[in-house]
Structures are given as structure tokens and as C-alpha cells.
Amino acid sequence: MSLIEIKDLKVHYPIRSGFWNRITDSVRAVDGVSFNIEAGETYGLVGESGSGKSTTGKSVVGLEKVTSGSIMYKGLDITKAENRRKLDYNHDVQMIFQDSLSSLNPRKRIEDIIAEPLRNFEHLSKDDEKLRVLQLLNIVGLDADALYKYPHQFSGGQRQRIGVARAVATNPKLIIADEPVSALDLSVQAQVLNFMKKIQREFGISYLFISHDLGVVRHMCNNIAIMNRGRLVEIGTRDDIYNHPLHIYTKRLLAAIPETDVNSREAHRASRLAVEQVYQDQQSKYYDDNGAAYPLVQVTPTHAVALPQTIAQQLASQEGEVQA
Amino acid sequence: MAENFEQHSDISAADLARLTQEAQAEATPSTAKIIWSEFKADKPAMAALIIIVGFILFVMIGALFINTPKMMETNIMGYFNQPFTADFWLGADSAGRSVAKQLIVGSRNSIGIAIGLTVISSTFGICWGLISGYFNGYIDWGMQRIYDFMMMLPMTMMIIVLVTIIPHYNSVTLTFIFSIFYWEGTSRLIRSRTLAESEKDYVAASKASGTSHWKIIFREIMPNISSLIIVDCTLSFAENIGVETGLSYLGFGLPSQTPSLGTMIANANDPNNITQYWWTWLPAALEIIILCLSISYVGQVLRRAADSSQRQGSVN
């Protein structure tokens, strides 16, 4: 059984308008998303901004009110607040935020920030609690001096590591990492990611890794879901997504990864333009009449794509020929 | 699970005392220390603080040694006695009552009302604004309609009516009557900041850490809008001295047998007093000006202490 099973998750925001301020329409931020996260794996959720990936992440932690669908954890649907309370859900599922500065309360000392989940869930004695905070700081590579300082006294990378320490504090089973490194520069990104990987190895934590940076996702994730306009357009292993992309949206994302090979700059440019051309010409083939993605169809046991069955088969066989 | 952490970190219980000490050496100074260093860096504010504290202590203690009913008795021999004499340091008013003693008791009454009013109305206003802003939705809607209704009532008129229909009132009941109306400005101000603050990620992080709503409101959001609260409280304290004074001046504040800064300033209603007998009203007017100025100086220092980018003190 999977750690978390997300079924047909929908988060819609009402749009009010008119004289009576009635609900006239809704923004379909997340519109029928289903996937499973296995224990101990890193699941990548990728998409452009506004595709609903952060909303999906927040729903999984329980910060977002879900319109319909279910998120099953230990056999209970945690979209209901009472089930979350019953399971002490946030003891097991924590979150790392994108903006390290605004996610740490500027008026609290680091000790209080990291100890917050411990105080709510574990009720340790004062000394044990302090010891745990010191150990956590040590694990993310910070000195004991940090204990009584305030968040603004740290650099971005250090703050994000404090955020990681807080998320790990209760030894959770799953951590939602909502673009944890996209606000950091590249050298610091690598540092934070390596700490996250080290923690995963040592504590056996699963990550739901939300990102728009396919390079980072490739480094971190075993299974990847591509999200577009509130729906999943492609699910697969790292190999499926990076080497056999089927959906045009996935191809566009991959084409957008910058290449450092200066000698074949022209060739890369041409291939990017070719992908864009296909997208412009064949949009109607890849999206339905309302501009939404099709339901997912299975191509191989690990690989699914949001296309009508016939087109999916056709593309898959084409892909096979190219490989051959 | 604790073993899990022991395993992957080379810190154990034995290091706790040493590391705590190390951390303490590097610790950021406490809020009280920061505020004190701000006062030390700003000499006028330090003087203002000494004036306020000294004056309040002086009138609170001094008033205990004055027999008010006896002091308020008419003494025909002291009719408009000149100031700076042995019996009457600041002269006497038309009933021959000592201005100096009235000033002490009157200040105690007025400042007491202002402090009480500020504490009650600000506490209520801050809670109202925080709760309304944090919960949003229907709760916010309901609370804001109550607010709108209260705002619609003409405040001064209502106070005057209440004061006339309540048979026996003193400074305590007067404080409560004022408090019914003076929480509104504070609550709107606090609500607007809370709306912005509760959208921030650290609130989401606290929710995800399982912290309860009340704890988030009063332990997470409130400290973050403390600079706003401090400024608002000091300003409303200065304003509240004026509230009682103004109403007493109009004759609807404290009963005439209870001296207050307002009843003393009301002496200036008489043109004779303004031109010839200046000592009947000038000391009270000066006192109000000095107090309000001092309070705003102190408020500025507190605001600077709450905002690290504006600090002038040496401790950072």
C-alpha cells in the first residue's frame, strides 16, 4: 500500500461577480489529480507557475480546503479536519516552504521556531527539547550559536536549512517541499538539496518535491508527475519523463532546460523551435475542446500520459522507432 | 525515535550545558535590553520617560495625602489668592480652593481614567481586530457589521446621554462608559494588518506544525504587529487624556466636586480668569501639553525598538 493515495483531488476557487456578488464561475486550480506516493521515495511534481502544483502540495498538508476528492493516509481521508486530528496527521506530514524568510516568524528565536512542532506533538521535557533542537541544527549543518538568534540574522541558505530542520523535527514520514530551493542561488541550492537527500537516507522520509526546475527534479526524484492547467499530463519514472516524453507539454518543458554546450547552440535552438512549432500546430490534438488535458492513459506499466488512447499508442510506437 | 536523532548527530546529552552556554554568548539581546539602549541613545526621550514616570508616581502618591472633600470646601478668605505664597503655591480659584492641590488630585483622576480607558479599549480593540482579521469569512463579516453599527452612533452625544441618565457615577463608571466607544479605531487598524499578516507563510507553517488558532493569533501574529500596537496605544493614551478633559470642560465629565484636569481648564471659560487670574487654568493646560508631548516621544522610542532598521541604540 502506498503511503499517501490522492484520488481525483479538486480545488476550485469561486469567482464572485455581479450586483449580488454571487458565485458565477470558479477557478479550477486543481482539477482531478490522482497519484500515489510510496514510502521512502521522492515524488516530483513539475509544472509552470499557476499550474496548481503548490495548491496540490498544500492540500496534502491540510492547509487548503479541498473541493472534492480524497487523500488517503493510514486508511482515513485526511481532507477532513477531524481525521487529521485523530491521526495527529501533521506529526507525520510536514512542509518546507519556498520563501525561507516569510516562513520563519521574524519575532521568534530559532529554538522556538524549530521546537514548535515538538511542543505541539511530542511534549518533551525542557532539556530533551533543547537537545533535540541542537541535534537538528547539527544535522542541517548549523552551529549551536544559532539557538537564540532571529531568522533575519541568517543567509537564505541557512534559513532554508532551518526550515528543513523544523520540518524534520518530529521525524515525519512525508515532507512536502514546495519549491524549496527556487529562491536560492545555485551553489546554495546544491547544498540544501544534499542536506535533504542526506536526511532522506538517514530517516527514511518521503518527499513530495514540487518544482519548476527540471534539472533539480532530475537530481532528486525517482517518479515524476507533470502538471498543467490543474491536471496531470504525464506520469512516469525519471527515465520515462526525460528520455521518452510523450505529451507536448513535457517536451516543451524539457526543451526549456538551458544547455551549456556552446558548440551546438544552433542545433539546440532549432530543436526548441521545432517543439514550439509542433505545440502551436497540434494544440487541438493534445488538449480537449475546453483547453483542458485529457484523462491519463497507461502506455507502459510505469508511464501514463494524458492523451486519447489512439494517439497515445501512435506516439508511443513512434518513440519506440526513434529509439530503435 | 529519539535514538534515530542520536544516531545521526554527534551531539548528545553530555554536550547540552556547554552548547547552551555557547549559544547564550551569541544570543541576540532581549527586547527589554533593546528598548533600554534605545532610551539611552535618545536623550529627549529619556527625559520624557523620567517626566512621565516621575509625574505619575508623584500625583498617585501625593493624592493619598490630600483630603479631597476638605480641599474642595469653599474658603472665602482665599478668594483668587495670588500664586507663589506660603499657603497657596499656585494660588487659589474663585472658591478659594488651592490650585496646587486640585492639580494633584485632578491629575490623578484624569490620568487614572486615561490609563484605564487605554487599557480596556485597546485590549478589546486589539482582540476584536485580531480575531476578525484572522478568521476572515463569516466571522469577519459579522464582527465588522457590529463595528459599523458602533461607528454609526454619535459618540459624544451618546456619552453625554449615558452620563445624564446614570444617577451616581464616578471615575470608574465614566471609564467604562468611554470604553464602550473608544475601541473602534484600534480594532480597524489592527484588523487591516492582521489580514495581511495571516496570509504569510509563517502562519501556514504554524498551522502545519499543529499549533492552535488562538496560539497563532496571540503568540505568532500579535508579536509581529507589536510596533503598530505600541504606537497606537501611546497615541490613544495621549488622546484619552484629552477625551476626559474635553468632556469635563463641557460639563459632562466628572461631577463638579471631583477635580480633574478638565474641570480646571474649564476655569478658562470665564474671560476674567483668562486675563487676570491665569493661575487658575494655565498649570493644568501646561501639564497636558507636556504629558502628551512626552508620551509621543516615548512612543517613538518604543516603535524604533520594535523595528530593527530604525534603531539608534548601540545594541543590535
Side-chain angles (χ1 to χ4, degrees):
Chain A
M1 200 182 82
S2 304
L3 181 66
I4 290 247
E5 290 171 13
I6 300 163
K7 262 207 186 70
D8 203 24
L9 182 74
K10 285 182 185 172
V11 181
H12 294 179
Y13 299 113
I15 299 173
R16 290 169 185 277
S17 63
F19 183 73
W20 299 107
N21 210 15
R22 279 178 310 191
I23 298 169
T24 47
D25 201 359
S26 57
V27 178
R28 294 175 165 78
V30 179
D31 196 22
V33 164
S34 313
F35 60 92
N36 300 336
I37 303 172
E38 307 294 333
E41 75 161 354
T42 305
Y43 199 93
L45 192 56
V46 186
E48 63 191 3
S49 60
S51 59
K53 55 194 194 303
S54 284
T55 312
T56 310
K58 282 187 177 162
S59 313
V60 177
V61 201
L63 287 173
E64 199 73 51
K65 210 173 166 317
V66 172
T67 312
S68 72
S70 69
I71 302 172
M72 303 302 281
Y73 175 74
K74 285 187 180 167
L76 287 175
D77 181 6
I78 58 88
T79 56
K80 296 187 185 69
E82 76 232 47
N83 285 340
R84 285 204 296 273
R85 259 199 305 281
K86 210 184 294 169
L87 289 169
D88 254 357
Y89 179 66
N90 285 119
H91 180 272
D92 292 350
V93 178
Q94 275 288 325
M95 183 154 180
I96 301 171
F97 292 84
Q98 175 178 13
D99 183 350
S100 61
L101 184 57
S102 84
S103 70
L104 304 176
N105 189 338
R107 286 307 172 86
K108 281 168 79 177
R109 292 172 192 274
I110 301 305
E111 184 194 15
D112 298 321
I113 289 173
I114 297 181
E116 189 178 355
L118 294 175
R119 284 175 192 164
N120 289 322
F121 293 119
E122 302 214 342
H123 312 289
L124 301 170
S125 77
K126 256 207 155 76
D127 278 353
D128 284 353
E129 182 189 288
K130 189 173 278 176
L131 182 64
R132 178 76 70 84
V133 172
L134 282 168
Q135 286 171 342
L136 284 162
L137 283 173
N138 181 253
I139 288 168
V140 296
L142 288 168
D143 281 341
D145 318 352
L147 209 55
Y148 298 118
K149 286 184 177 166
Y150 289 95
H152 69 89
Q153 292 170 295
F154 294 90
S155 71
Q158 287 172 326
R159 274 201 295 266
Q160 196 57 285
R161 269 142 60 193
I162 292 167
V164 173
R166 168 173 64 187
V168 183
T170 53
N171 200 358
K173 302 211 165 52
L174 172 67
I175 292 179
I176 314 298
D178 186 1
E179 308 211 21
V181 293
S182 58
L184 306 173
D185 63 54
L186 282 173
S187 59
V188 181
Q189 280 193 6
Q191 185 194 38
V192 172
L193 291 175
N194 288 335
F195 272 114
M196 286 176 68
K197 277 198 130 174
K198 179 186 138 202
I199 288 166
Q200 179 168 44
R201 270 199 310 277
E202 289 172 358
F203 297 92
I205 293 170
S206 314
Y207 288 119
L208 174 59
F209 195 90
I210 299 169
S211 182
H212 58 252
D213 186 339
L214 280 163
V216 169
V217 169
R218 185 178 213 161
H219 176 66
M220 292 291 289
C221 306
N222 324 102
N223 287 305
I224 296 165
I226 309 283
M227 206 166 169
N228 182 215
R229 299 180 193 170
R231 291 194 179 174
L232 294 180
V233 293
E234 195 156 357
I235 292 182
T237 60
R238 179 163 41 192
D239 177 58
D240 291 333
I241 298 291
Y242 282 89
N243 300 328
H244 313 287
L246 292 179
H247 200 278
I248 188 65
Y249 183 72
T250 316
K251 287 178 184 166
R252 287 181 81 210
L253 280 180
L254 289 171
I257 301 176
E259 296 277 351
T260 46
D261 182 4
V262 185
N263 292 328
S264 45
R265 191 192 281 156
E266 281 308 314
H268 288 308
R269 184 178 148 79
S271 71
R272 271 203 290 280
L273 287 175
V275 169
E276 186 58 23
Q277 195 57 47
V278 173
Y279 175 72
Q280 296 297 346
D281 295 345
Q282 305 186 7
Q283 259 197 54
S284 58
K285 195 168 106 185
Y286 287 98
Y287 296 97
D288 68 13
D289 298 339
N290 301 323
Y294 288 103
L296 289 170
V297 291
Q298 212 69 36
V299 186
T300 68
T302 55
H303 195 176
V305 63
L307 285 174
Q309 188 74 46
T310 49
I311 301 176
Q313 291 302 344
Q314 187 192 335
L315 279 172
S317 57
Q318 269 178 23
E319 184 76 24
E321 278 164 29
V322 173
Q323 291 294 313
Chain B
M1 200 187 74
E3 306 83 66
N4 208 342
F5 284 94
E6 302 273 333
Q7 250 170 43
H8 299 293
S9 152
D10 36 308
I11 291 179
S12 63
D15 305 322
L16 187 63
R18 181 179 56 84
L19 288 173
T20 310
Q21 207 163 21
E22 261 174 44
Q24 228 121 36
E26 291 285 322
T28 319
S30 69
T31 325
K33 263 196 194 136
I34 290 169
I35 291 176
W36 183 241
S37 77
E38 275 304 306
F39 271 115
K40 278 202 292 201
D42 189 348
K43 291 283 174 292
M46 184 66 122
L49 181 73
I50 293 169
I51 290 174
I52 295 174
V53 174
F55 188 78
I56 291 178
L57 282 178
F58 172 69
V59 297
M60 291 292 166
I61 295 167
L64 296 176
F65 296 100
I66 293 171
N67 184 347
T68 312
K70 186 156 173 290
M71 178 191 82
M72 295 305 285
E73 276 169 13
T74 308
N75 170 14
I76 202 71
M77 299 306 290
Y79 175 77
F80 283 130
N81 204 319
Q82 288 284 331
F84 314 122
T85 55
D87 281 347
F88 300 99
W89 294 345
L90 289 175
D93 62 5
S94 59
R97 299 175 296 208
S98 164
V99 171
K101 284 181 184 171
Q102 277 193 67
L103 198 62
I104 291 173
V105 179
S107 301
R108 198 258 325 255
N109 288 340
S110 291
I111 292 174
I113 289 177
I115 290 176
L117 176 54
T118 311
V119 169
I120 298 174
S121 66
S122 292
T123 309
F124 189 74
I126 290 166
C127 292
W128 192 273
L130 279 170
I131 293 168
S132 177
Y134 176 79
F135 285 110
N136 233 320
Y138 288 113
I139 295 177
D140 184 38
W141 188 89
M143 289 175 85
Q144 288 313 304
R145 294 299 79 75
I146 294 173
Y147 164 89
D148 288 342
F149 174 75
M150 294 296 290
M151 274 307 266
M152 183 203 76
L153 301 174
M155 187 157 42
T156 318
M157 288 294 289
M158 291 289 290
I159 292 173
I160 290 173
V161 168
L162 282 174
V163 165
T164 15
I165 56 175
I166 292 176
H168 300 291
Y169 71 95
N170 51 26
S171 38
V172 177
T173 42
L174 196 66
T175 308
F176 282 115
I177 292 172
F178 285 148
S179 307
I180 300 173
F181 299 98
Y182 276 88
W183 56 271
E184 294 150 355
T186 309
S187 87
R188 249 304 148 85
L189 192 70
I190 299 296
R191 171 178 172 267
S192 67
R193 267 297 288 280
T194 310
L195 280 174
E197 209 67 28
S198 51
E199 291 300 313
K200 289 196 176 161
D201 273 349
Y202 71 85
V203 175
S206 279
K207 280 182 193 163
S209 303
T211 310
S212 70
H213 288 311
W214 298 110
K215 233 177 172 175
I216 291 176
I217 292 175
F218 292 107
R219 301 286 288 282
E220 306 272 329
I221 293 177
M222 201 165 82
N224 275 292
I225 58 173
S226 60
S227 60
L228 187 71
I229 291 176
I230 289 167
V231 174
D232 186 65
C233 281
T234 48
L235 287 181
S236 59
F237 179 58
E239 186 195 321
N240 289 343
I241 294 179
V243 168
E244 184 276 333
T245 316
L247 272 176
S248 298
Y249 176 83
L250 291 174
F252 294 103
L254 288 170
S256 56
Q257 279 309 302
T258 317
S260 82
L261 293 178
T263 52
M264 296 191 69
I265 291 178
N267 284 328
N269 274 340
D270 186 341
N272 268 343
N273 285 354
I274 291 186
T275 51
Q276 294 174 35
Y277 309 121
W278 51 268
W279 58 85
T280 52
W281 53 271
L282 193 63
L286 283 179
E287 187 198 318
I288 290 175
I289 292 171
I290 292 172
L291 267 185
C292 290
L293 274 178
S294 304
I295 291 165
S296 77
Y297 266 108
V298 171
Q300 271 178 13
V301 166
L302 293 178
R303 188 186 39 127
R304 279 209 301 272
D307 181 351
S308 52
S309 62
Q310 295 185 357
R311 275 177 210 158
Q312 296 174 350
S314 51
V315 181
N316 47 23

